Amino acid sequence: MSESPESVLPVVLAAGLGTRMKSSKPKVLHELCGRPMLSYVLDAAEEVGHRRPLVVYSPHTAAITEVFADRADFALQEAPLGTADAVKAALALAPADAGEILVLSGDVPLVDPDLLAELIDLRRARGAAMALVGVHTLDPEGLGRVVRSDDGGQVLRIVEQKDATPDELEIDEINAGVYVFDGPWLRGRIGDVQASPVSGEFYLPALVVLAREDRRPIVSLEVEDDGTLAGINDRAQLAEAELDLRMAINEAHMMAGVTMIDPSQTYVDASVELASDVTLEPNVILRGSTRIGEGTRIGAGSQIIDTVVGRNCFIWASVLECSEVEDEVQIGPFSHLRPKSSIGRSAKLGNFAEVKASRLEPGVQQHHFSYIGDAVLGEKTNVGAGTVTCNYDGVRKHKTKVGKRVFLGSDTMLVAPVELGDDSRTGAGSVVTRDVPDGMLAVGVPARVRKPRQPGDESPLDKTQ
Ligand code: UD1
Ligand code: CA
């Protein structure tokens, strides 16, 4: 029997139909705080295991093999005949020298790796065939009950809800669905599990009885229900687990120096990074690979997805997607950064400013209902109210390049492809169809280019800014 401390193979069961989710998507791909349920289980498996996790899937859950191709190996269970059958499918592919097998359920995502480490140590110390976790809970409904000897010491069997007698249903200790097995013993016995006469399924917990037949010890950890071992079978349980996780995420950020005005109304994905002295107002949603720099305040109602925001910015009631924002930028209320936008230091975007796939150099101001797409705006350029880059001719997208310190009058239409030189300006309502050289003024429809009356003219045609 291999008992080297380097021998734990994690097996994750994820082949079940998940019918109670009433979903066309495999249950374990449903997300908690922005990451699929299964990714949390794999995190735990990687933390305590010594080998690449082996995930059991079925034709129904085959999508997981693509999502997690880089993190796990996969064993196919042809039909979901039960958890023991799933483990059998895993063992067919498992390395023959796997001395210890940690079995996790793909639908118990908040499982604590420290508890797993304790379970592994306990099994090893006692040379047990099997180690399991019993959870004392107020709500055992639907779960397997741990039946113990009268003195409470020994686990006699685990009985599923469907198969339980009324007395057994009174038991408040449930089986968490995580186990550590002696690998060779498991290999020898998995084939002996009989189908339940009630459901026809092969139950993994039936191994308790086989271990007792073999007079091998069964060890258990007994814990109180703190939500971390909750199995997710339906969407109400998904929402409960998400709430628990969200609170834990928020608390960790607050301990690390983030202010949350109302943590119960703040939604931060597990993958988001927040620096100290960030303030999050209520109803802020931060998703994916978002990172927020020190001292930045995210105002109520903002939603930020896969975006990096610098230090000391103020983002207010705005939507930012897949973009970058440098330090000291102000955005909002009601601005929208669409993907691939990059906003330079100290820029200001205001009411109903929309930016797509554009670079705004430092100090650009774009205050009022305007659209900048596929463009570069040079330093300190001012975008007048209602300015639009007409970047789409109905067939193709075209680029707009605007130089430094350009003054775009209200309601300027920049018909791309077009370039405006440094220090140029446009009159209110002009439709710019041709390039404007440095320092020149474009006015009219279509715009004609002429010299401004005086260099540095202080009376732009547009005075509505
Ligand atoms: C299981 C346990 C129950 C325990 C509960 C804890 C069994 C028979 N019962 O019940 O004692 O209290 O977990 O949450 O094990 N799966 C497969 N192939 C299958 C069937 C299931 O891979 O053929 C996977 C599922 O995808 C899931 C896990 O095994 O990730 C558990 O299956 P599920 O049907 O959810 O079992 P429960 O009824 O919750
Ligand atoms: Ca379950």
Side-chain angles (χ1 to χ4, degrees):
M1 197 189 315
S2 159
E3 291 278 337
S4 95
E6 295 291 305
S7 67
V8 175
L9 169 72
V11 169
V12 180
L13 308 187
L17 292 176
T19 43
R20 288 167 279 184
M21 293 297 279
K22 307 230 162 60
S23 176
S24 59
K25 181 159 81 174
K27 174 165 70 175
V28 297
L29 290 184
H30 281 260
E31 292 187 354
L32 284 178
C33 296
R35 296 176 68 210
M37 223 185 270
L38 187 58
S39 68
Y40 296 94
V41 182
L42 291 176
D43 288 349
E46 283 166 4
E47 194 165 329
V48 298
H50 305 111
R51 297 166 188 252
R52 194 169 154 93
L54 185 52
V55 175
V56 183
Y57 73 104
S58 62
H60 176 80
T61 67
I64 64 179
T65 62
E66 280 161 42
V67 178
F68 292 100
D70 58 338
R71 291 189 69 182
D73 294 324
F74 299 91
L76 174 65
Q77 184 188 15
E78 294 285 353
L81 301 177
T83 44
D85 184 66
V87 167
K88 201 166 149 189
L91 289 177
L93 285 195
D97 62 344
E100 298 167 283
I101 297 182
L102 168 69
V103 177
L104 301 174
S105 288
D107 67 348
V108 182
L110 303 184
V111 60
D112 177 4
D114 291 343
L115 180 86
L116 298 178
E118 203 182 323
L119 196 66
I120 290 166
D121 288 348
L122 177 69
R123 192 210 65 82
R124 218 178 265 168
R126 301 277 299 279
M130 176 174 183
L132 56 92
V133 181
V135 185
H136 291 279
T137 177
L138 295 173
D139 185 18
E141 185 60 26
L143 295 161
R145 311 296 206 278
V146 180
V147 182
R148 290 181 181 268
S149 56
D150 286 342
D151 64 2
Q154 263 201 22
V155 179
L156 299 180
R157 64 181 183 282
I158 289 166
V159 59
E160 295 303 311
Q161 168 99 13
K162 297 179 251 198
D163 313 54
T165 64
D167 276 355
E168 287 167 339
L169 289 177
E170 293 297 308
I171 297 173
D172 80 337
E173 183 186 0
I174 62 98
N175 166 33
V178 304
Y179 321 84
V180 186
F181 292 99
D182 172 335
W185 179 80
L186 181 65
R187 262 182 201 285
R189 285 301 242 158
I190 191 75
D192 300 330
V193 171
Q194 302 296 308
S196 150
V198 180
S199 66
E201 279 183 45
F202 296 85
Y203 295 153
L204 189 60
L207 283 158
V208 169
V209 174
L210 300 185
R212 289 181 56 229
E213 279 175 22
D214 293 348
R215 304 195 180 286
R216 289 287 305 270
I218 299 152
V219 291
S220 64
L221 288 173
E222 274 181 78
V223 299
E224 294 302 318
D225 188 4
D226 63 357
T228 57
L229 288 164
I232 296 177
N233 298 314
D234 57 39
R235 299 203 202 211
Q237 291 167 340
L238 180 70
E240 256 174 66
E242 166 128 349
L243 180 62
D244 283 352
L245 181 60
R246 183 160 76 231
M247 288 309 152
I249 289 170
N250 286 356
E251 200 162 310
H253 284 304
M254 289 188 284
M255 291 307 140
V258 171
T259 295
M260 294 188 183
I261 308 296
D262 182 354
S264 73
Q265 308 256 15
T266 305
Y267 308 85
V268 181
D269 275 2
S271 44
V272 166
E273 292 175 33
L274 304 176
S276 64
D277 289 324
V278 163
T279 299
L280 304 181
E281 293 182 4
N283 273 316
V284 161
I285 302 176
L286 305 180
R287 297 218 173 285
S289 56
T290 293
R291 277 187 279 143
I292 311 286
E294 206 176 316
T296 286
R297 186 176 188 99
I298 311 293
S302 296
Q303 181 160 359
I304 305 185
I305 303 154
D306 297 330
T307 292
V308 179
V309 179
R311 297 158 168 246
N312 301 319
C313 294
F314 179 43
I315 314 293
W316 183 16
S318 292
V319 175
L320 279 50
E321 304 172 74
C322 311
S323 290
E324 278 175 33
V325 175
E326 293 174 6
D327 298 345
E328 285 160 24
V329 168
Q330 291 183 28
I331 296 182
F334 316 120
S335 302
H336 186 185
L337 294 190
R338 290 169 52 205
K340 296 192 189 146
S341 297
S342 161
I343 309 300
R345 194 183 175 101
S346 304
K348 291 194 172 79
L349 278 70
N351 307 273
F352 307 101
E354 175 181 350
V355 179
K356 187 215 80 177
S358 295
R359 165 68 180 168
L360 274 53
E361 294 289 353
V364 165
Q365 306 216 14
Q366 184 191 346
H367 285 289
H368 322 280
F369 29 90
S370 53
Y371 170 59
I372 299 295
D374 303 308
V376 177
L377 306 187
E379 252 176 64
K380 296 199 174 142
T381 278
N382 184 82
V383 180
T387 294
V388 170
T389 50
C390 310
N391 58 333
Y392 184 49
D393 61 13
V395 182
R396 287 194 300 146
K397 298 278 172 65
H398 300 283
K399 300 221 185 288
T400 301
K401 190 161 181 267
V402 176
K404 297 176 187 168
R405 300 172 301 277
V406 172
F407 185 95
L408 298 168
S410 288
D411 215 15
T412 296
M413 300 293 125
L414 298 167
V415 182
V418 71
E419 281 193 39
L420 282 72
D422 292 347
D423 302 297
S424 61
R425 38 176 75 207
T426 65
S430 36
V431 176
V432 182
T433 54
R434 282 183 296 165
D435 292 353
V436 182
D438 288 358
M440 298 297 272
L441 169 70
V443 279
V445 181
R448 290 166 174 227
V449 175
R450 58 172 155 98
K451 276 200 176 133
R453 257 179 300 236
Q454 294 158 10
D457 192 350
E458 278 310 308
S459 59
L461 297 176
D462 170 6
K463 287 188 169 168
T464 63
Q465 286 299 298

